[in-house]
Amino acid sequence: MDTHLIDGKNIAAQLRSEIAAEVGRLSIKPGLAVILVGENPASQVYVGNKIKACEKAGIQSVSHHLPADTPAADLYALIRALNADPAVHGILLQLPLPEHLDPNDFILAIDPEKDVDGLHPLNAGRLMAGLPGMVPCTPQGALRLIKSVRNDLSGLDAVVIGRSLLFGKPMGQLLLSENCTVTQAHSRTRKLPDLSRRADILVAAVGRSEMVEGSWIKPGAIVIDVGINRGEDGKLRGDIDFAQAQGIAGAITPVPGGVGPMTIACLLLNTLRACQKFADHGGQNAGRP
Ligand code: NAP
């Protein structure tokens, strides 16, 4: 069987150009505020990439880089100011935070209407309730990649390996809302290879290099690799053994160039939607709960 390569880079580029066109038609410019606390080198690269992507799409981005020893009160004050700023439609708090700052406290402080990462419990609850809200960027992007292969997912068996708030749980909810029969696997799951082999859609978000072997994959399955693992040779690898999956999977995302580019594109989309909602409410936020 020929395995179709799902070209996340290309699909993300197309989405970004559609977003740029929509931004151009708006009467106000969408604004994204990015908060980075400390000097985590990977976070600095991610933030830089997000800011560049905003510029290209015509979204105004403002970066707030705070020192690693920033007191909690200062971070709260910044978030409150950004919540109140009508030029800011999206707020992204880059994680992880330094140890003395509990991310849950600050995610709760972000106005849910500006929570472009979709991590606020209100947005997680909206997703679970099937209500419109901010959907986390990576699972949103992963679903778009799955639907680029097959639009109707109704009745398919989906296995999501991983249950994080950032990815695994919202991915499971999104697939459930597409009428898949979803199994959410995690570190305590028994017989994971057998379980995975039943999946028409197999999504791996663990963070363990090439953990999913070819023999775990059902012939013809759509395989989405979310993992990003840097090997000792400096190369990036996913959670799926990509070479072994060839000829078994029906379609697969590469690492890099699969899910990663979709995350940024969906961040831009969430910012655009937040701005549109703001404009639709006559420049007033829909209101905090
Ligand atoms: P996480 O919070 O560390 O969650 C990992 C999940 O994997 C947990 O639910 C854990 O189970 C499960 N797990 C660990 N070992 C396992 C095993 N042996 N068998 C089955 N499940 C196991 O990670 P995350 O934030 O979801 O990210 C996962 C991966 O995706 C990472 O490599 C990350 O870098 C990548 N990622 C990529 C993007 C992107 O834009 N491409 C975005 C986000 C994340 P327990 O809950 O039982 O501990």
Side-chain angles (χ1 to χ4, degrees), residues 80 108 129 150 158 172 213 219 240 263 265 270 272 275 280 283 288:
R80 271 199 302 273
L108 266 178
R150 179 174 172 157
E213 299 168 18
I240 311 278
T263 299
N270 279 355
L272 167 65
C275 177
D280 289 349
R288 302 192 60 178

Side-chain angles (χ1 to χ4, degrees), residues 81-159:
L82 296 172
N83 282 343
D85 185 343
V88 172
H89 306 102
I91 301 171
L92 186 149
L93 178 60
Q94 185 66 44
L95 301 178
L97 294 177
E99 259 184 28
H100 68 287
L101 301 170
D102 181 345
N104 293 316
D105 294 343
F106 300 98
I107 288 166
L108 266 178
I110 295 173
D111 181 342
E113 303 302 323
K114 299 190 179 190
D115 166 39
V116 281
D117 259 342
L119 295 179
H120 192 287
L122 192 85
N123 284 316
R126 282 171 174 160
L127 179 60
M128 194 173 180
L131 298 170
M134 290 284 188
V135 176
C137 304
T138 309
Q140 188 185 152
L143 182 65
R144 280 178 176 266
L145 294 181
I146 295 168
K147 295 193 86 167
S148 75
V149 179
R150 179 174 172 157
N151 195 43
D152 182 7
L153 309 180
S154 193
L156 296 184
D157 286 325
V159 171

